[in-house]
Amino acid sequence: MSEISFRDRLERLPLILAGPILQHTSSESVTVWVALKEPRRVAIEVYETADSGNVVGALAMAGERTTVALGRYLHIVAVTAQSQNGDFLRSGQIYAYDLSFTGTEGDRQTLQQVLTSPSLSLVPISYFPHQLPTFALPPEDLDRLQIVYGSCRKPHGKGYDALPILDSLLEHNAALPDFRPHQLFLTGDQIYGDDVADPLLYALTEVGDLLLGWQEQLPLLPSSKVSHLTSKQLKPGQRSKIACEQAGFTAGIRDKAELAKSHLFGLGEYYAIYLFAWSQVFWLEPFPKGREICQDRQAAKQWDRELKDLQQFASTIWKVRRALANVPRYTIFDDHDISDDWYLNQAWCLRVLGKPLGRRVVQNALLAYAVFQGWGNTPEQFQDGQSGAKLLEAASKWSASAGGDKTAEEAIACYLGLPESDPLTSLPKMRLDGQFLVLDRSPEALRWHYTVRGGSHEVIVLDTRTWRGYPADRDPIAPPALLCPSAFERQLRSVLQQARSNIKATLVISPTNIFTLQAIAGIQQWYLKQGKVFNADVGDGWNMNASGLAAFLATLFEGRDRVIILSGDIHYSATARLDYWSRRPSDSVVSDSEKSFKPHLLTQFTSSALKNSELMTQLIHTKAKSILMPERRRFWIGWTNLPEMIEVRHTDRSLPDWKCSLEWIPRQPIQIPEWGKNVPWLRGQQKPNWLYNFVKWLWQNRWFQEGKEVVGTNNLGLIHFDWYGNPSENAAIQDIYWYTSWGKPRVGFSRFRASLHLRQLPKNI
């Protein structure tokens, strides 16, 4: 797979390298993202449909925009359609959209024309005969809302990719506007910049340089023998040392150098991995075998093992591509979108941003996130004159100069929110925010958090990475508050104060969990005491900073009595219920009676991983976890003026500002929908011999796999509601879809039903 083969194939590839991906969609506008190999003026038209989506009708919205040149062969645009006659889109209706592409010579092509080419003759993009992508707005009735979400999708992760299940959900209900998925939220780790398979990095380096049209000079420490290296000089499987020593990354410092052996560095590599994650275009060329690349026999075997997992991943990308074209997609980053432990604590920030290569890689990764994900999340930030548009202009200039325009490079850092470096120490500048240190950034920096509102629900998407508060009076490795005080105000309090009578459900997306399994929390506390915070992401969960968690809960319940959290990150799926009782301000008598406390409810739904199943999560998926380590009910008390919380026994009779109780909701036995009984798009796995099959039967039989608390295999979450006239019967439901391990692969779901009824404070708490 040489550079020449990719360059020769480029002419035979379709104009569209990835997309169309439907992004921010509302009654007032529709945004669609595409990546092209040549510049175009892209026009979008949104149409009403009839006959259950089968007949395309009147034009409802239109818009156009010119692509932005991010490289010689990479041109990206998120084009937005808006109302032409003052009418708005409605729920309960299926809409179709079409794109057209006009070249510099005035030649115009349709969507179907630019999707295919001699090397890619068929690209399914629709569920209807008219071959146009479709969507439906969230319904006014909450009990018909369908929200899909997931996280952590590593191409060479073990197990089948769960994101293609979304395509099956859409296909099965495509003609039913109130029952097909209405929104998709990807809550972190859409890519793994730090953990890349060697064969994939081999391709990403070649494709990345080709897309850019130049080779980026990656800066090294002043003490190095050379001042710069290119991505091509940093071979797959050989990047651990430079990742740790030159960039300061922590992915490989856990005595597991292989975790960073193929870390992404170059901007082209970060651009390219999104194309490989969302499109089959660059997977068409067969990858070389290990013996063709590696001289070492063991390295060749490792290459071939990773290649096998990659081929399984690639075989179903066509379903992912079709799904992303037919449901509005919203995202937020987590650490692996940049690098493992990204902004984990103050020490990480000083270690990485204080090194030229570390800072450049963070900038490259965040720029790729901005143009491949952030643009479509908040298209209003990328309109003329806004920070996003200025970022696109700077990125285009920097690429046109082959990385030589320092002014453009500094502008990119500014709009991405990277802090300036202190000229004396080369360390990133920080400033005080209350009792916390935060990264100092330009007021023109893009905001990554946002809110999406539908007919009866709202989704508040938090940025818990770039606005962390690092305790100013503690060790640099101390767990941070995932939101600093000013971030609480901007991202939560100001949003929650915008009360709307039609909003019945408030969902908050936090990429990391609020609460985790007790055993995992105990392990993290042990690592923290040992000072080994990079061993188990100590500091990534809300539970590791008691004052930050206390402030988070208090802020949530200032504005809402019921909140649903959607999270990921931890490679298993579960549901937890937190009953929270706050002292009533009007209570003139300080007492501990149940009447002195107002009830609130937090429901935590977690879906993880889409493709990164691990042995430990597979184990807790089974009955072994339920029998040997069942989760017990836990209790805390807390205070609001100086936010703090402590865990207590249920017999504690202190007089705090609030009390809470946590319990885990069991999963119901798996159900197999009719469409899940036959999944021919999955490749069958080999069965080596009778002994292997016998051990597999013992481990993967249905009885053993029917655990009680979590789903630990690759999975995708679907949220919906039972909403009745009687509030005591209302419930939020999480269906976790996963692949069965017994018999032939099938798709089933485990249901978690969480009552939304507010409980009064029991007398024994």
Side-chain angles (χ1 to χ4, degrees), residues 14-22 33-36 97 111 114-117 120 122-127 133 153 161 163-164 166-167 170 275 277-282 284 314 316-327:
L15 176 64
I16 293 188
L17 301 178
I21 295 177
L22 183 61
W33 179 97
V34 289
L36 312 178
Y97 69 88
L111 176 59
V114 300
L115 279 171
T116 59
S117 71
L120 190 62
L122 179 64
V123 180
I125 209 72
S126 176
Y127 304 106
R153 185 168 175 254
D161 184 8
L163 193 51
L166 173 60
D167 179 69
L170 282 161
L275 302 180
W278 299 339
S279 171
Q280 69 272 55
V281 167
F282 284 108
L284 302 177
T316 56
I317 284 182
W318 66 272
K319 287 179 70 66
V320 171
R321 188 177 188 184
R322 181 167 66 171
L324 295 181
N326 287 273
V327 62

Side-chain angles (χ1 to χ4, degrees), residues 69-71 212 214-219 265-268 271 360-361 363-364 367 390-413:
L70 298 178
L212 290 179
W214 50 280
Q215 292 190 20
E216 182 181 0
Q217 299 293 311
L218 297 166
F265 290 149
L267 178 61
Y271 283 163
R360 172 65 66 83
V361 175
Q363 178 169 311
N364 286 344
L367 175 57
K390 296 175 183 178
L391 172 67
L392 296 175
E393 182 181 5
S396 185
K397 287 182 178 179
W398 195 62
S399 184
S401 71
D405 189 332
K406 295 300 181 183
T407 301
E409 182 180 356
E410 292 173 359
I412 291 171

Side-chain angles (χ1 to χ4, degrees), residues 551-694:
F552 181 59
L553 295 175
T555 304
L556 287 176
F557 296 127
E558 282 178 14
R560 300 291 184 273
D561 288 336
R562 298 176 181 84
V563 177
I564 297 169
I565 300 290
L566 302 185
S567 62
D569 180 55
I570 51 180
H571 301 181
Y572 65 81
S573 297
T575 299
R577 174 190 173 104
L578 182 82
D579 288 288
Y580 182 101
W581 299 277
S582 62
R583 191 174 296 280
R584 299 177 186 273
S586 59
D587 188 19
S588 59
V589 179
V590 178
S591 71
D592 198 38
S593 71
E594 60 273 17
K595 295 181 180 180
S596 300
F597 289 86
K598 179 182 179 181
H600 309 271
L601 171 63
L602 183 146
T603 303
Q604 176 182 276
F605 288 138
T606 304
S607 178
S608 178
L610 287 165
K611 193 178 192 299
N612 201 7
S613 178
E614 299 173 331
L615 179 59
M616 182 56 67
T617 60
Q618 293 170 15
L619 180 62
I620 64 174
H621 171 89
T622 67
K623 273 189 168 62
K625 163 67 172 68
S626 308
I627 295 172
L628 299 177
M629 294 186 297
E631 295 299 310
R632 63 176 177 82
R633 194 174 181 186
R634 302 172 68 187
F635 305 87
W636 288 265
I637 58 175
W639 295 264
T640 54
N641 288 336
L642 292 175
E644 191 57 69
M645 61 187 294
I646 58 174
E647 188 168 2
V648 296
R649 300 188 308 274
H650 72 280
T651 55
D652 190 283
R653 305 304 296 174
S654 301
L655 296 176
D657 294 332
W658 55 265
K659 300 182 177 187
C660 69
S661 167
L662 177 73
E663 58 185 304
W664 295 83
I665 296 176
R667 65 173 166 130
Q668 299 175 10
I670 189 171
Q671 303 178 49
I672 309 294
E674 192 62 33
W675 57 264
K677 296 178 180 178
N678 183 25
V679 284
W681 38 274
L682 287 183
R683 291 181 176 180
Q685 298 197 349
Q686 296 180 349
K687 300 180 179 180
N689 52 55
W690 69 269
L691 180 60
Y692 171 88
N693 291 333
F694 178 70

Side-chain angles (χ1 to χ4, degrees), residues 433-559:
D433 184 12
Q435 301 300 311
F436 298 95
L437 289 169
V438 299
L439 294 172
D440 194 14
R441 73 203 73 198
S442 167
E444 289 193 87
L446 282 168
R447 57 174 172 81
W448 308 111
H449 64 278
Y450 56 95
T451 300
V452 180
R453 289 190 172 92
S456 57
H457 77 293
E458 60 184 353
V459 183
I460 303 169
V461 183
L462 300 179
D463 167 13
T464 59
R465 280 285 158 190
T466 73
W467 281 103
R468 295 185 166 198
Y470 305 111
D473 57 348
R474 297 181 61 188
D475 190 283
I477 65 170
L482 299 193
L483 292 177
C484 63
S486 59
F488 269 113
E489 185 63 36
R490 285 191 300 272
Q491 296 191 38
L492 270 180
R493 188 170 285 111
S494 63
V495 178
L496 294 172
Q497 288 174 350
Q498 302 171 15
R500 298 191 179 186
S501 59
N502 63 315
I503 298 298
K504 299 176 181 177
T506 295
L507 297 92
V508 176
I509 290 184
S510 171
T512 60
N513 271 220
I514 313 302
F515 297 97
T516 189
L517 300 179
Q518 192 167 3
I520 295 176
I523 291 172
Q524 290 181 327
Q525 289 289 352
W526 184 86
Y527 275 125
L528 179 60
K529 292 179 181 179
Q530 300 297 314
K532 299 179 179 179
V533 298
F534 302 113
N535 290 59
D537 292 337
V538 176
D540 262 353
W542 286 92
N543 62 307
M544 296 305 295
N545 186 297
S547 62
L549 176 54
F552 181 59
L553 295 175
T555 304
L556 287 176
F557 296 127
E558 282 178 14

